[in-house]
Amino acid sequence: MELIFNTADELDPRGHYDTLKGKIMASLFFESSTRTRLSFESAMHRLGGNVIGWADPSVSRYGDPTRGETFEDTIRMVDDYSDVMVIRSPQTGLNYYPYIAADIAIVPVINAGYRLPAEDMEHPTQGLLDIYTIRREKGRIDGLKIAVRGDIRYDRTIHAWLYGLARYHVEILLACPDGGEPPGKYLDYVKKNRATYRKVSLEDAVREADVCFVSGAGSYRGRKLDQLGEHERVDAMKYIEEQGIDLHKLKGAKKDLIIMNDLPRSSIHGFTIYPEVDSSPYAAYFREAANGVRVRMAIFSLIVP
Ligand code: CP
């Protein structure tokens, strides 16, 4: 991680390099994305390389439900046409898509986020850029209190983020509802490494933390929102309202607290961070998203042969 972060520090995300001139990135997104796809593609262009692929998987044989092809054969083809693959996996079908692709391909495969199986879902490059953002904003990682607010049982960014943060001497404050904690394997990894964690209330997360990560509203008490019955849904909506950050909820926060979010911070369920926070000194989430280009440039520089 430190190698990636130090490399990222040396790169200008608005610069033009010829480090990867003539190299081809295959951009295979089978699920919607704004930041991950565009920042990966921007990173490859900034390093002098080219991009092939699709933004809409239905134009590929595999993604076209009226025709079809296997995922494995799709990867075999793309392996011959590119020097690195970036894959955001479909939400249905096989488990562990990125690992299946990596077993088949000769070229490096970068996992741009997957959801199957749900308790193991991870988004490693987002976790990396989030930790890089903490280092860049705070000048250090060790010694910080880092909170996360929200139901994070099925949060692929937080799963990856916990693997990364575990390697630092930080205190992780988990402000999540009962049942909404991360799966045990992530917490076990934290315990076995350098970080510590404890559960806190939503209020204490804001009051005590140096960094407060606000998770998206995807699940409640360990169940996806679309699986909830009518009564549970009312509770879930109430929780989402309480979890959302506005300026009032930031009263009592440390002056140099930074609020982070992997974005988007709004969805069909409303806002997790209200726009009134954007112009406050706490808001680091758009700088966090911008760091995606720099960190992905660093990853390409280090792994594309
Ligand atoms: N943070 C993130 O993964 O955003 P996208 O879904 O827009 O790529």
Side-chain angles (χ1 to χ4, degrees):
M1 285 190 290
E2 292 292 318
L3 174 64
I4 293 171
F5 298 164
N6 292 338
T7 307
D9 277 342
E10 297 299 315
L11 289 162
D12 174 0
R14 298 223 162 249
H16 295 279
Y17 301 83
D18 58 9
T19 327
L20 295 185
K21 194 163 178 228
K23 300 291 181 182
I24 297 175
M25 163 194 155
S27 181
L28 310 181
F29 278 69
F30 296 101
E31 191 195 67
S32 61
S33 168
T34 296
R35 283 143 288 271
T36 311
R37 183 173 71 82
L38 295 180
S39 62
F40 264 118
E41 295 188 3
S42 173
M44 183 46 96
H45 285 297
R46 296 264 180 217
L47 292 169
N50 299 298
V51 177
I52 58 171
W54 51 76
D56 176 359
S58 70
V59 300
S60 72
R61 290 281 189 154
Y62 170 65
D64 178 353
T66 66
R67 308 191 82 180
E69 184 175 16
T70 66
F71 178 74
E72 289 87 341
D73 282 0
T74 305
I75 297 302
R76 280 185 190 102
M77 299 302 101
V78 178
D79 194 34
D80 288 331
Y81 307 153
S82 65
D83 299 292
V84 60
M85 277 181 225
V86 179
I87 304 179
R88 173 164 285 190
S89 309
Q91 294 195 43
T92 55
L94 306 171
N95 284 340
Y96 299 110
Y97 282 96
Y99 299 92
I100 293 167
D103 272 348
I104 295 168
I106 308 261
V107 302
V109 174
I110 300 179
N111 170 12
Y114 71 102
R115 292 189 186 278
L116 290 172
E119 295 218 338
D120 288 349
M121 60 162 98
E122 284 160 19
H123 190 355
T125 62
Q126 182 69 46
L128 279 171
L129 79 89
D130 289 343
I131 297 171
Y132 176 75
T133 299
I134 296 172
R135 192 177 96 148
R136 214 172 156 79
E137 296 276 326
K138 293 289 188 185
R140 68 193 167 106
I141 299 171
D142 284 334
L144 295 175
K145 280 190 186 185
I146 302 178
V148 54
R149 280 171 62 108
D151 189 305
I152 50 176
R153 186 148 196 90
Y154 303 114
D155 188 320
R156 62 188 175 186
T157 294
I158 298 297
H159 294 172
W161 185 84
L162 285 168
Y163 274 152
L165 278 185
R167 308 292 293 169
Y168 294 92
H169 294 280
V170 294
E171 187 175 17
I172 299 169
L173 309 177
L174 299 173
C176 38
D178 290 342
E181 301 87 358
K185 71 169 189 169
Y186 299 103
L187 295 178
D188 287 344
Y189 190 78
V190 170
K191 274 192 219 154
K192 286 187 190 134
N193 281 275
R194 301 185 179 92
T196 57
Y197 70 86
R198 65 186 157 93
K199 271 195 83 168
V200 297
S201 65
L202 288 170
E203 295 75 21
D204 284 350
V206 167
R207 201 172 45 79
E208 288 190 44
D210 302 298
V211 175
C212 182
F213 196 97
V214 182
S215 167
S219 58
Y220 179 64
R221 291 185 185 274
R223 289 174 54 212
K224 299 202 173 136
L225 294 182
D226 54 11
Q227 297 169 338
L228 299 177
E230 206 173 312
H231 290 299
E232 295 167 304
R233 217 175 151 73
V234 172
D235 285 348
M237 289 304 147
K238 203 168 143 225
Y239 175 76
I240 289 167
E241 183 77 31
E242 283 166 16
Q243 182 216 346
I245 290 273
D246 57 19
L247 284 177
H248 177 71
K249 289 183 186 150
L250 287 167
K251 284 191 179 139
K254 289 182 182 172
K255 274 201 179 67
D256 60 351
L257 168 73
I258 57 166
I259 299 287
M260 294 180 60
N261 183 280
D262 52 349
L263 301 176
R265 48 74 181 267
S266 64
S267 69
I268 51 170
H269 306 297
F271 283 95
T272 49
I273 302 173
Y274 288 89
E276 65 183 23
V277 181
D278 297 357
S279 54
S280 77
Y282 304 113
Y285 32 93
F286 292 121
R287 293 193 294 279
E288 176 186 348
N291 286 335
V293 175
R294 202 191 274 268
V295 168
R296 287 166 176 137
M297 285 170 82
I299 293 170
F300 282 142
S301 311
L302 292 165
I303 68 158
V304 177

